[in-house]
Amino acid sequence: MTSLARGRDQRGVSLILVLVTLTIFGLIVPVLGQFGSTNGVSGYILKGQRFDRYAAEAGMQAAIGWAEGQRQAGRVGTTCPDFTAGGLNSDLGPNATRSVTVKCKGFDGNGLPAETNTMPAYALMARDGGANAIHITGNGSARTSGAWWSEGGINVDSATVDATADYVGAKRACSGITASPTDCPSTRSERDPGALPGSTYQVPIPAQLTADSPASKCELVKNGELPLSPGLHWNSDMLDWVGDGHCGDVIIRLLGGGPHIFDFQFFGGGRPDWKLAPTERGQTVRVISDGFDTGCGGSSSPVLFAGSFTMRLRQGATADLCGADQGSGQRVAVAQVANPATPAQEPSAITTPTGWTVDSSRGDSFDFPASSPLTPARLLAVPDCDPTRNCADGFVPGTLRGDRAEGTVVMTIPDPVSLRPDADRGLKVASLHLDITHREQVGDVADAHVWISAGLPDQFACKLSDATNPLSPSNEFRTDAYDCDLSGVHLPYFPTGDLQVTYQVRLKPQANGDNRPERSAEVALDAVRLSAEFTRPASRNSEPSGAILQTD
């Protein structure tokens, strides 16, 4: 039997597959289209947000850059304007065009100096409430290095003051100054510097300074430098001479280790101002604090003006002065002295002879004992005899004989100033005082003298240092007192050693006629005493009569 297989019909299957595919794609494609539309919109929005951010950042950076060049912006007492930048990113299409406004607001007290335990709030502060508490004159220029404050006003005449980096405030009006900001008249008030508990930046002014040793003209200028140790600078003649260029190009170096007090009238005389005008002679002069270029080495060497002192700077002169500097860059460049210990006149100890020598001339003899060991010097220490010659202890007698005989006793007496432990600081000596208790048999005495014959420092002279200073002879013991007035000597007194006091008696010539008795006189010394009135070199209060600093 033959078997035949039935063939199957596959027609229509492809159509079904096509329909299924179309159905699937019909479902997928709209979804994909929706995703694509969403992504496109999202990308467009994100691009806009990115441009917003770029514009905001650009606006902020532009505002920051602008504010860095406008140091007053946002500081106390100064308004903070809005900054607007328009058309940012305008070259990136219409969607990127932006206009940004940055608004700023300063913090309360922003820009005010802050006092710390080691740094004053102000580089220059005037406590005087007057209209010209800070007064700068002249045609020169100055730059601040720290904030200024005045309890009164600030007046700048003609000079240029660059205070663009610092706050300047005053209770009263300001003129001629622009700062960051200028707060005048201010509603604020400030306390005395150093009122903060624990403040250590202030350098106490010593109760006693060391005065500069006397020097003439260019004597101290070596290799173009004039070093000044800390202390009292009084020598107007020398400093004016150097400052005016007579000694060539000079650096006047203020050495560290203590305050520098300028007071040209402490010892009297001298102008109250220091003029530095070296270009009148084609020179330059610079006053510089030791270590200025490296920060002045701390706060131990402020520069202070006392009395009515004024510094006058003209072309060719500069002054780089230091005060407090604790790494902040803020310095007290110059200040006035307020409320130091007032220097007072004091008495010295009393000195008496430690020995003497005896001499005679133009006569037969002068019988006066040598000082030692025959006669102890202590016999001349105190008055022992009353006018009636009653002597509690003793005196030194002698006899002078001969025609026109002259007897001299030269006594060595310690300088009373030298007994001070601070004598080497240069005291202001107003006078030396001498008391001499003596007796002479007046009948044959022509005259007598007493004087300080040696030992006084150079340029110290008075009537008592003149060999013609008279002594009044007396038949009874008497005490004569003499003052060596040194108030007109405008120098510090540096003792040179012992003083010498000379006592001299001269007899009359021989009388006419035969068998006249020989001229003779009994003499005696009971006490010789020296003392001094002096003032220790110290800083005086400032008493400004005008500007403390003038530039021209």
Side-chain angles (χ1 to χ4, degrees), residues 45 70 112 123 156 169 173 192 216 248 260 267 272 278 379 383 405 429 479 538:
I45 294 173
Q70 304 291 326
L112 289 178
V156 179
D192 287 337
S216 60
H260 291 268
F267 292 100
L379 284 178
V429 177
T479 299

Side-chain angles (χ1 to χ4, degrees), residues 158-173:
S158 301
T160 301
V161 178
D162 177 6
T164 55
D166 297 302
Y167 167 87
V168 173
K171 295 286 286 184
R172 300 178 68 170

Side-chain angles (χ1 to χ4, degrees), residues 383-396 437 439 477 524-526:
D384 299 304
C385 302
D386 62 25
T388 60
R389 305 189 187 186
N390 294 317
C391 300
D393 189 0
F395 57 92
V396 183
T437 304
R439 179 176 63 82
F477 278 106
L525 291 177
D526 185 21

Side-chain angles (χ1 to χ4, degrees), residues 35-82:
F35 274 119
S37 176
T38 301
N39 287 338
V41 172
S42 298
Y44 186 83
I45 294 173
L46 180 61
K47 182 179 181 181
Q49 292 175 340
R50 183 178 301 160
F51 290 163
D52 287 344
R53 180 178 177 182
Y54 289 163
E57 289 181 353
M60 284 297 297
Q61 291 300 320
I64 292 172
W66 172 84
E68 287 177 346
Q70 304 291 326
R71 302 191 64 168
Q72 297 93 334
R75 302 186 76 169
V76 64
T78 302
T79 58
C80 183
D82 298 338

Side-chain angles (χ1 to χ4, degrees), residues 394-481:
F395 57 92
V396 183
T399 302
L400 179 63
R401 298 184 181 89
D403 181 26
R404 296 185 177 88
E406 183 178 277
T408 303
V409 179
V410 180
M411 293 164 280
T412 299
I413 305 179
D415 189 330
V417 180
S418 68
L419 298 186
R420 294 282 310 179
D422 48 12
D424 59 347
R425 292 179 178 268
L427 304 180
K428 179 181 179 180
V429 177
S431 66
L432 293 172
H433 184 78
L434 172 68
D435 286 327
I436 179 168
T437 304
H438 61 99
R439 179 176 63 82
E440 296 80 24
Q441 192 174 21
V442 299
D444 286 343
V445 173
D447 53 53
H449 301 88
V450 63
W451 72 97
I452 299 176
S453 53
L456 288 173
D458 289 344
Q459 302 184 55
F460 282 83
C462 62
K463 291 182 178 179
L464 186 53
S465 59
D466 188 335
T468 62
N469 184 65
L471 178 74
S472 299
S474 172
N475 283 320
E476 308 297 338
F477 278 106
R478 60 175 288 172
T479 299
D480 286 325

